[in-house]
Amino acid sequence: MTRALVYIGVLIAIMAVMEARPKSAEPKCKSGPVDLVFIIDGSRSVRPHEFETMRKFMIDIIHELDIGLEATRVGVVQYSSQVQNVFSLKAFSKTAQMVKAINEIIPLAQGTMTGLAIRYAMNVAFSAEEGARPNVPHVAVIVTDGRPQDRVAEVAAAARESGIEIYAIGVARADMTSLRAMASPPFEDHVFLVESFDLIHQFGLQFQDKLCGMDLCLESDHGCEHICESSPGSYHCLCLPGYTLNEDGKTCTPIDLCAEGKHDCEQICIASPGSFTCDCNTGYTLNDDKRTCKMIDYCSFGNDSCEHKCVSVLNGFNCHCNEGYSLNDDLKTCTMIDYCSFGNDSCEHECVSVLQSFYCSCREGYTLNEDETTCTMIDYCSFGNDSCEHECVSVLNGFNCRCNDGYSLNDDMKTCTMIDYCSFGNDSCEHECVSVLKGFHCRCNDGYSLNDDKKTCTMIDYCSFGNDSCEHQCVSVLKGFHCVCNDGYSLNDDMKTCTMIDYCSFGNDSCEHECVSVLKGFNCRCNEGYSLNDDLKTCTMIDYCSFGNDSCEHECVSVLKDFYCRCKDGYTLNDDKKTCTMIDYCSFGNHSCDHHCVSVLNGFYCRCNEGYTLQEDGKTCQSDNLCNTVEHGCEYQCVSTPGSYHCICPEGHVLQDDGKTCGTCRSSNIDLVLLIDGSKSVRPQNFELVKQFVNQVVDQLDVSPKGTRVGLVQYSSRVRTEFPLSMYQTKEEIKKAVMNVEYMEKGTMTGLALKHMVENSFSEADGARPAEKNIPRVGLVFTDGRSQDDIQEWAKKAKEAGITMYAVGVGKAVEDELREIASEPVEKHFFYTADFTAISQIAENLKLNVCAAESQGEIEVKDPCACESLVEFQQVTMSTLDQLNQKHILYIFSTDPLNNMLTLQQMQLHHATLQCNSSNSKLSAI
């Protein structure tokens, strides 16, 4: 097994240096025979250029091997949802044959069945039939970029039990837990996780010393800036991934992929040596592909409070109302639009608003006309159920019966009786009084004739007067005579005189108003103010408005014998009794508008001057931009809001508790001790990167005697305090001291360093502030390898002592040890990277966690209702109100005009009371 470990290390080491080293004629490093099988991931998640990198990775290794049937045999297996045997261990004995076969591989581009591939390698690829040799190390190298879609733990264990040594190389999205389940122990020698396929060669360096004997890199002053690689009797310099070797053969220059345009970031590219990360503009968030951006959907957070609809916009959201509604001043709730208030409804009586429209309604006793705007009084007579004998007269909400002239209404209020004028006792008739329509006449007894006065009677002298006294014709008869009347007349009871026949008296004339008898018939006549209809019987009141000479501006109303003009609601009739003027409600003097009153039909509304906004009471006005009218005191920028304002800070800064000033962290007063690994495995050039990492963390802190204090401890086989918490009080002093720290080298005693931190670094003697001041204590451990002593005891004691522990690992750092050191939740206190050049990104992430730890230490909480607090508040308020006094007047609406002005002193006392009550509520909640 040791022999196999050395051999696979040789392979990966050779691959690691192929990019930077020129081809030479030096002999290849020799080793014993090995059966090597590459198991490569050909799933769809491996992009074409990544598969080409993996293809080159295998070819570069093969070029450095001693290929032959009696030396090294190589096989290749590709897998996705199925397994493909590219070529077996016995297929080729020459390098060129293998390279040709590898270049012809076509990616399967399906799923990721890693367990299936391991089982195939165990049962087929490493079988004697496929060329595997007994008593020769069997080595499998698995390269994958994703999580397996099947179970790998059991089949990998079986493969290891069969004698196969497994190396697991994970790229980008690979799962560390799955890699550990596949690989042979120890994991630090068999498990590798890199950020991209371009970096899979970097893990071969640790095996080169075992390959070629003496290491001149350790025995001489080589001068390499990054990496020195030994070869038999010589050495040469290499650069870390992401760097390129300069012409001097020793120094390195970082590769800036962003500047070269070799990235696919949609918005922002952030360069790191040989790599890059993508970021988004403000208001956008990075998608799962880590390349493209999408606008943040603030509505999806569930806190928009919109009554109807929430619409996301850049850096926020807006509320929208459904059709037929308008957004209220709070910009969240909605109110149905009152279309009647627009003043264009033209309804004669009442306007009723409904969703997206309005309709007209009439008062009781009226009905809406076909124009759906005007109203007509209901004609109850037209229903045909009035039972009136003569006339039916409609009135509001009912009807009355009315009799023709000369008749009176009976008690049943429906039928009529002709008036008996004779019963009045004033007829003066000598003989008889005879009642007729609208009057009476006198009549004489038989043998008498009525005199010219129409009242008295004279006895008739039969025919003795020369014509037998007949009015028309006298017809002699025996012993007397009788008289005959002309056609159209009838003989009276005196048998001598004649009266024109009264056809009206027959009761069948059907005249609505009056019946007028004429010779041989009758005519109908209407009362004054009425005209006779075409049926020559009924009458209609004359419509004087229809003559077209009324000149009314709005409405003409006909009445008996005349007409008059009437105005619509909201208008008044002028003195000419014809034209109309809209009522000016503003002129009544009771509108209470702060700025302007605007009259509209049936009312008024208030309007503010430019730069002001009408308030919810519909009367008062408030300035739109308070930032321009008050002394806001904002350090960076003042932002006006409806009726108020607030301060904001530039990106990367946080508004402080006074609501005006800005800082990097809201509460950054902590005691921070950093434990940095100075062991031999770190190497001098990487130790310089560690010091830069420490200073990057310090840059994010507010260092001061009352704020954050920083101490630094270096450890290897022993522990050394570089400077305690009490030594430096500014960032500049700390950063200078960090850069002057000398590299210790030797072992890795992490447990001893934790013990020193708990017992010494956080003591008051070294500058830690007393526990009763409630200053957070934070410890940060930076290491690159496995500890040579036990860490469990002192990692536990550190957290029990109230120290918040962060663990940062790089390279061969052991994940289990880092998790043991880190505080809960571990995911927020544990960081790892495979490369020292990537620790600057960890510093950025670490900054967020340290800053987020809000501190309550050394902050005095004052009672807002205490006398001194009220005095202080009133002084600030007086200063602000004095500035506003010349521009603003505060009103409270009251029925008493004398109470309408609120003095500044009353407002201050009212505001102070509200502030006190609000603060007491918050203290009670605490």
Side-chain angles (χ1 to χ4, degrees), residues 421-701:
Y421 287 92
C422 293
S423 65
F424 297 161
N426 57 359
D427 53 81
S428 304
C429 291
E430 182 178 3
H431 285 183
E432 299 177 32
C433 176
V434 179
S435 287
V436 295
L437 189 61
K438 299 183 182 180
F440 65 90
H441 62 82
C442 295
R443 188 172 59 193
C444 297
N445 297 330
D446 287 344
Y448 288 83
S449 64
L450 192 62
N451 294 329
D452 293 338
D453 61 7
K454 300 297 183 181
K455 295 181 179 181
T456 60
C457 296
T458 301
M459 185 174 67
I460 299 171
D461 184 5
Y462 295 100
C463 293
S464 61
F465 304 125
N467 62 350
D468 55 49
S469 304
C470 291
E471 184 178 359
H472 285 181
Q473 302 174 32
C474 181
V475 178
S476 292
V477 296
L478 187 62
K479 297 182 180 180
F481 63 91
H482 66 271
C483 297
V484 177
C485 296
N486 297 332
D487 193 19
Y489 290 82
S490 62
L491 189 64
N492 294 329
D493 292 340
D494 61 4
M495 301 303 292
K496 293 180 180 181
T497 60
C498 296
T499 300
M500 187 176 68
I501 298 171
D502 183 6
Y503 288 91
C504 292
S505 64
F506 298 162
N508 58 356
D509 54 82
S510 305
C511 294
E512 185 177 3
H513 283 184
E514 298 180 37
C515 179
V516 179
S517 289
V518 295
L519 189 62
K520 299 181 182 180
F522 68 89
N523 293 327
C524 291
R525 185 170 62 193
C526 295
N527 298 333
E528 190 175 5
Y530 289 83
S531 62
L532 193 64
N533 293 329
D534 292 339
D535 61 4
L536 299 178
K537 295 181 180 181
T538 59
C539 299
T540 298
M541 188 175 74
I542 297 171
D543 182 7
Y544 287 90
C545 293
S546 65
F547 298 162
N549 59 356
D550 54 84
S551 304
C552 295
E553 183 178 3
H554 282 187
E555 299 177 24
C556 175
V557 180
S558 286
V559 295
L560 191 61
K561 301 181 184 179
D562 204 354
F563 70 89
Y564 68 88
C565 294
R566 183 170 63 190
C567 295
K568 297 175 181 177
D569 283 349
Y571 291 83
T572 181
L573 194 65
N574 295 328
D575 293 338
D576 60 5
K577 301 301 181 182
K578 295 182 179 181
T579 59
C580 300
T581 299
M582 188 175 73
I583 298 171
D584 182 8
Y585 287 90
C586 291
S587 66
F588 298 163
N590 60 352
H591 55 76
S592 304
C593 293
D594 200 356
H595 284 181
H596 302 288
C597 175
V598 179
S599 287
V600 294
L601 190 61
N602 294 320
F604 68 90
Y605 68 89
C606 296
R607 185 172 63 197
C608 295
N609 295 332
E610 186 175 0
Y612 289 78
T613 298
L614 193 65
Q615 301 304 295
E616 290 185 358
D617 61 3
K619 297 182 179 180
T620 58
C621 299
Q622 188 174 74
S623 175
D624 293 336
N625 193 343
L626 289 179
C627 290
N628 294 337
T629 58
V630 300
E631 292 294 333
H632 51 76
C634 295
E635 178 181 350
Y636 177 69
Q637 184 178 345
C638 174
V639 178
S640 291
T641 58
S644 182
Y645 69 90
H646 63 272
C647 300
I648 62 173
C649 292
E651 185 175 0
H653 291 71
V654 179
L655 194 65
Q656 300 300 295
D657 292 334
D658 62 2
K660 296 182 179 181
T661 59
C662 302
T664 56
C665 295
R666 185 177 295 279
S667 299
S668 56
N669 43 338
I670 64 173
D671 287 343
L672 172 64
V673 174
L674 297 104
L675 305 183
I676 59 174
D677 186 350
S679 62
K680 183 178 180 180
S681 60
V682 173
R683 299 194 180 186
Q685 64 270 25
N686 290 333
F687 190 73
E688 293 301 315
L689 296 177
V690 173
K691 292 194 289 185
Q692 293 175 18
F693 166 82
V694 172
N695 281 347
Q696 192 175 355
V697 173
V698 172
D699 276 333
Q700 310 306 322
L701 303 175

Side-chain angles (χ1 to χ4, degrees), residues 47 69 251 273 314 338 368 390 429 492 630 658 737 828 879 914:
R47 299 186 179 111
L69 295 178
T251 59
L314 188 61
D338 182 7
L368 194 65
H390 284 184
C429 291
N492 294 329
V630 300
D658 62 2
K828 292 187 178 180
S879 175
L914 292 177

